[in-house]
Amino acid sequence: MTGGLLSDEGHGAHAPDLRRELVEQLSAVPGLDVPGSRDLLISMLAERLPEVGDVRRHGSTRLDILEIVRSCLREPHGLRELADTLSLYAPGSAPVRRIGELAAAPAPSPAPDVLPVLPDTELREARALLDRVRHLDAHGLLYAAAEGLALPPLPVTGLGEAFDLLARANARPDGLLPVTVLIEHVSTALDDSEAHRTTAGALRAWNDTRAAALGLAPQLAAVRAELTRAAAAHPSPACLVVQLCRSGMDPDRYLLSHWRQIRPGPWRPERGEDRLVTLDEVPAAVGELVDRAEKEWAGRPGRPVLEFVLPFHLLNQPMEWLTSGSDLTTALCLTYPVVLRSLERMRATEHHRKWHNRWQQLLDSSETVCHWDTAGRRGHDAVRWSSTLVADERLISVALGAPPLRGPAGDRSPLETALRAGVPLAVWDRRPEPPAEFRRRAKRLLKGRAIELPQRVKQLRSEAATAAAAQRDVHVGRHLAVLFDDPNRLVDWSGSPGPADGSARGGHDDEGET
């Protein structure tokens, strides 16, 4: 058989009944009806579970408690830590004793009418190996291994729970069990850790034995090779992606969608709520999103990136100079690398193969090979320029001689040609008549590996912001636009919920342009 899960959600999947009882019991703990007492509990929990320290407060007892429960259930061993903390906060009370019982309860067994896919002894052997690993993103690995299976709405709290969930699932079309695929994902993730090499080897040996017994060694080898190739790809940074689409109902309003990648690694962004805004309302809306994302990034070192997926007519807008937070004088580009992405190309799947090819060139190349726009220069031949760009996939970037939108009619053909050819990187000066200095600074900017360009751009923009007053507004960094577009990190405009095929679906196609 192939298909979905064999039984309904249980403890390991945080069934709604468990979550509901936890909320009821925690609401009955003495003192938690007072906001200060809830703050104390959150502070105590944060000593064990740092992620809980940023839990959202609503000012309502039940809503605050629901947030505490949800946050604990997202963390490995979070329920156990909640029970232990409550034993200090309100020892001996009946609700605390009940929460302790819930934390200690094992996950329920599969339904009686479902035969186990593997003997219990073999399942216990694999689970024991997985229990040694507590630092990986268990829910992300579960999502990667499930490949379309229905998953619980809340994250699992460890690899053991992920394993238990998939152990109740039918085989894939190729015959491999989902638990086998999960173990391959975990093994690949452990390859870079010297401390876990032994565990990775033991997990692969377990898979080899099961696959050989079932006659599935070729299928396992294929999955292993695929994951090895994927592991070599450049990981996604923590980032906030903001997308604007013009509303078909009101041409003066835009649908603002956004996604948050909480931690670096595989591309698994979380989609937020959409909202309709005017262009004048975009700065405040983006500022709110950035502040909210920072709360989720809190406690994690790193360098998040901000990306704006825009329709063509907005690509010349200086999004990097928007501000956020209470300090309204600090532009986003002083804190984050800020880049643009093309909404139209994200939709146009007929160009995606070429886009992937050029992106791979970008990753493999030690230098940024640029095709300079010759428009307006002596001897300019538009056909030759376009043909050269299309024919040579080593050209991974273009530098435009003028903004992609200029004058009432616009002049965007060089950038359109580059996007259709799959070029992932483009730079230009937003001013109608870019100064000669732009070419010199752009050449310097494009030296070195292209994948590192967003960080170099951030430095140039910082130079502009900190320049002397007389130079600040004319500095190239103040007017530099950068399109840096990774085809492996799609956010889909179709409106379908949930991630699929490497994309994070969301938003809505109200944009009137093609």
Side-chain angles (χ1 to χ4, degrees):
M1 292 176 61
T2 61
L5 297 177
L6 293 173
S7 61
D8 57 0
E9 294 180 351
H11 185 161
H14 303 320
D17 288 345
L18 170 64
R19 188 165 62 250
R20 186 177 299 108
E21 182 167 7
L22 285 171
V23 171
E24 296 297 340
Q25 295 296 336
L26 197 55
S27 298
V29 172
L32 287 186
D33 56 336
V34 179
S37 298
R38 296 195 294 276
D39 290 342
L40 175 60
L41 176 62
I42 291 170
S43 177
M44 293 171 67
L45 278 169
E47 295 175 4
R48 301 166 176 258
L49 302 169
E51 301 296 330
V52 180
D54 295 321
V55 69
R56 185 182 304 174
R57 269 76 155 187
H58 296 272
S60 160
T61 300
R62 187 172 184 85
L63 292 181
D64 284 355
I65 285 174
L66 177 58
E67 293 285 4
I68 293 171
V69 169
R70 292 179 62 198
S71 186
C72 288
L73 290 178
R74 291 191 188 104
E75 298 298 316
H77 314 292
L79 187 50
R80 187 187 313 160
E81 298 292 358
L82 173 63
D84 290 346
T85 301
L86 287 170
S87 68
L88 297 174
Y89 178 87
S93 70
V96 170
R97 289 198 304 271
R98 177 56 184 156
I99 291 172
E101 293 171 359
L102 293 172
S109 302
D113 58 335
V114 176
L115 294 177
V117 179
L118 293 172
D120 285 344
T121 54
E122 295 183 7
L123 293 174
R124 283 197 298 270
E125 178 186 349
R127 201 184 194 285
L129 290 169
L130 293 174
D131 283 340
R132 300 178 188 175
V133 183
R134 298 187 178 183
H135 68 287
L136 297 181
D137 178 4
H139 191 71
L141 291 167
L142 169 63
Y143 169 77
E147 293 189 350
L149 292 177
L151 294 179
L154 290 177
V156 295
T157 60
L159 289 171
E161 288 187 4
F163 182 86
D164 290 343
L165 185 67
L166 292 183
R168 297 183 280 121
N170 291 310
R172 304 174 354 148
D174 63 0
L176 288 176
L177 300 174
V179 288
T180 299
V181 181
L182 174 66
I183 286 174
E184 282 302 313
H185 276 277
V186 174
S187 302
T188 301
L190 294 177
D191 281 341
D192 292 332
S193 173
E194 189 66 36
H196 291 90
R197 290 277 172 81
T198 301
T199 301
L203 286 168
R204 285 197 174 99
W206 187 91
N207 261 356
D208 288 338
T209 301
R210 307 288 90 70
L214 296 171
L216 297 172
Q219 290 87 332
L220 177 61
V223 168
R224 189 168 291 170
E226 179 183 351
L227 293 181
T228 300
R229 288 192 299 270
H234 192 79
S236 302
C239 68
L240 171 66
V241 181
V242 178
Q243 175 181 287
L244 289 173
C245 294
R246 177 178 277 149
S247 170
M249 301 296 293
D250 183 351
D252 294 327
R253 293 169 72 83
Y254 290 79
L255 186 73
L256 187 151
S257 306
H258 72 281
W259 295 261
R260 299 180 302 277
Q261 172 90 348
I262 304 304
R263 56 182 65 82
W267 180 237
R268 301 189 187 104
E270 298 177 5
R271 180 193 170 193
E273 294 183 3
D274 297 341
R275 58 188 293 185
L276 277 173
V277 296
T278 65
L279 287 180
D280 289 339
E281 293 170 335
V282 168
V286 170
E288 292 175 10
L289 296 178
V290 171
D291 290 346
R292 193 178 308 160
E294 278 293 357
K295 292 179 180 179
E296 295 179 312
W297 293 329
R300 295 187 178 93
R303 295 179 176 84
V305 175
L306 302 189
E307 301 180 346
F308 289 90
V309 182
L310 302 178
F312 208 104
H313 71 276
L314 292 182
L315 282 177
N316 211 43
Q317 294 294 315
M319 309 302 290
E320 67 274 11
W321 294 100
L322 300 180
T323 59
S324 69
S326 56
D327 185 0
L328 298 179
T329 64
T330 302
L332 296 175
C333 60
L334 300 185
T335 306
Y336 313 97
V338 182
V339 298
L340 306 173
R341 304 181 65 184
S342 168
L343 175 62
E344 280 85 356
R345 180 165 62 183
M346 200 169 289
R347 299 172 175 176
T349 55
E350 66 270 22
H351 302 313
H352 285 198
R353 178 188 60 80
K354 294 172 285 186
W355 187 13
H356 277 283
N357 287 350
R358 301 248 186 184
W359 183 261
Q360 191 59 51
Q361 287 282 341
L362 181 150
L363 293 177
D364 295 341
S365 178
S366 60
E367 60 180 345
T368 307
V369 185
C370 183
H371 193 46
W372 288 85
D373 185 7
T374 58
R377 300 172 70 89
R378 181 179 300 176
H380 170 63
D381 184 337
V383 173
R384 182 181 182 188
W385 187 89
S386 300
S387 300
T388 301
L389 180 63
V390 171
D392 190 351
E393 284 191 341
R394 295 173 302 171
L395 298 173
I396 58 176
S397 67
V398 295
L400 305 181
L405 298 174
R406 183 176 60 184
D411 181 7
R412 62 193 202 181
S413 56
L415 183 56
E416 285 181 319
T417 299
L419 293 174
R420 288 193 297 268
V423 174
L425 198 167
V427 298
W428 66 90
D429 191 300
R430 289 194 172 97
R431 289 170 285 191
E433 297 293 336
E437 184 193 8
F438 166 70
R439 187 178 182 93
R440 179 176 61 83
R441 297 301 296 260
K443 281 185 175 180
R444 185 187 306 174
L445 187 72
L446 293 170
K447 283 185 177 180
R449 298 189 67 226
I451 197 67
E452 299 166 355
L453 182 121
Q455 295 294 337
R456 298 198 294 272
V457 170
K458 178 180 179 296
Q459 179 60 37
L460 183 63
R461 288 168 172 164
S462 297
E463 289 178 16
T466 56
Q471 298 298 318
R472 201 171 299 149
D473 288 340
V474 297
H475 193 287
V476 169
R478 182 65 179 81
H479 303 279
L480 179 71
V482 177
L483 183 138
F484 188 82
D485 211 352
D486 183 347
N488 299 305
R489 299 193 292 109
L490 302 182
V491 287
D492 185 38
W493 48 269
S494 67
S496 304
D501 299 330
S503 68
R505 294 184 180 274
H508 182 70
D509 180 19
D510 282 334
E511 186 66 38
E513 298 181 2
T514 57

